[in-house]
Amino acid sequence: MHWDSIQPARRYPDPAAGLREPRWWLLCLVYLGFVVYGSLVPLEWRAVPFDEALSRFAGIRFLELGTASRADWVANIVLYVPLGFLACAALFGIRARGAPALIGALTVFVLCVALAAAVEFTQIFFAPRTVSLNDLLAETIGSAIGVGVWLFGRWRVVRLGLAFAEGGRPSVLAALVLFVLAYGLFSLFPFDFVVSGDELAEQLTSRNHAWLISGCGQWLRCAAFWLAEVLAIAPLGFLLALLYPRWSWTR
């Protein structure tokens, strides 16, 4: 993708000049609250003696995951990616370079892992939450990805945000890029990927999947479903047309 085409106007010589640092703090705190809340819902307290809770947490282990649990595992990875990025931006800004950036990234990674461990421990006191090394591993992976995005790709994220607020063609392009990313994530949700031949065979024989047309019941329901699919993917065509206006009809 040509990122230059969605950069904001030249009046910001520094891509970070259009963003104020306190906004990163606000976004980070709001998202942190969302992570903690989402990890403890439905907020059903269960009384567990503290010594017993420590004993349970010390004995956590890896669990064998089914398809549904595997989807939750991947969701935990996705949940911690924005947290790692926003925490780096809030604590060290987006201008850090060299050794300070590396030290900042390592510091945030350790803090995110510590938070994940604290949340996992707290889940012992909330039903029906379960505690496992699987979740802790997923949250660690998500934190590492988020920190890596801040370390190596934060300027692209900032340029995309500035372009979205700029107005005009850059704003339209940025909005389409965000839509396509959201569409891709939504299409794969809940990330219940298969890991064996038996699971793949079960998916292929399911009525929820078909090579061309799936059995959706009545014709009116099918037409509405197909129309929704067409409208959902149409912005991708708009994005390609704006990025490559000189493409031939053959291409």
Side-chain angles (χ1 to χ4, degrees), residues 53-79:
L54 287 176
S55 177
R56 289 186 186 181
F57 189 73
I60 61 174
R61 55 188 178 86
F62 283 102
L63 302 178
E64 185 176 352
L65 301 180
T67 302
S69 299
R70 198 178 304 126
D72 292 338
W73 187 79
V74 178
N76 280 331
I77 295 179
V78 176
L79 183 67

